[in-house]
Amino acid sequence: MVYHEGRWYAVGYCHLRQAMRTFRLDRIRGARLGDERFAPPHDFDCLAFAIESFAAIPGAWLIEALLDIPLDRARLLTPPDFATLEETPDGVLLRAHDDDLAHAARFLLGLGCRFVVLSPTELLTALETLARETLQMVAASRPSASAH
């Protein structure tokens, strides 16, 4: 059992899908004890499986970006329930589902590394908006030339 963002989840083997699954408990309408049995793999990490499942929950947008950062550093900076990370020859591939492109833009910039947005192209607009807003804040913070 795992508590995540206000909900309880259970990890278990689904005989219907024949795979390990994460089940949201408030969506379970009923349960029955059957004769089927399942022995989890010896090295199975229930919590790690649940966290990976949370990162794969579909959101409005699938964010994909190639990060110019070592994988171990990316893991330190990226909550495992927000995104998955995969080392590739070109860098670290970040995949995240997010309902808010402005949030995704702030997150990527907060990593403090160079990155290339692979998808969606709408994320580029969110990054441009954030850049404009940042420049406006910088300009507003500078003493005006007439104040000298």
Side-chain angles (χ1 to χ4, degrees):
M1 302 268 296
V2 179
Y3 186 77
H4 177 70
E5 292 188 2
R7 295 187 171 94
W8 282 99
Y9 297 82
V11 173
Y13 184 79
C14 176
H15 290 277
L16 177 65
R17 305 276 190 239
Q18 297 184 352
M20 295 299 294
R21 302 285 298 263
T22 301
F23 301 95
R24 204 171 103 180
L25 294 185
D26 64 320
R27 291 186 175 165
I28 296 175
R29 295 186 182 156
R32 66 174 174 75
L33 185 58
D35 294 330
E36 299 93 352
R37 297 290 179 253
F38 173 78
H42 180 272
D43 58 349
F44 183 73
D45 184 336
C46 183
L47 181 58
F49 181 86
I51 290 171
E52 286 179 21
S53 297
F54 300 145
I57 294 172
W61 302 98
L62 171 59
I63 310 302
E64 292 184 312
L66 197 58
L67 311 178
D68 185 13
I69 187 173
L71 180 60
D72 59 341
R73 180 80 178 136
R75 283 186 175 139
L76 286 174
L77 299 172
T78 306
D81 62 342
F82 175 68
T84 60
L85 301 168
E86 177 186 338
E87 194 165 27
T88 73
D90 298 322
V92 174
L93 178 61
L94 175 140
R95 284 191 187 101
H97 291 275
D98 206 329
D99 291 328
D100 182 358
L101 289 178
H103 171 263
R106 289 188 305 273
F107 177 81
L108 287 169
L109 289 172
L111 292 174
C113 68
R114 292 182 178 272
F115 60 87
V116 174
V117 172
L118 303 177
S119 69
T121 56
E122 292 86 350
L123 180 54
L124 299 174
T125 303
L127 285 161
E128 289 170 337
T129 300
L130 188 55
R132 272 194 307 279
E133 291 171 354
T134 301
L135 289 172
Q136 290 170 353
M137 287 185 280
V138 169
S141 297
R142 293 189 191 277
S144 67
S146 62
H148 288 101

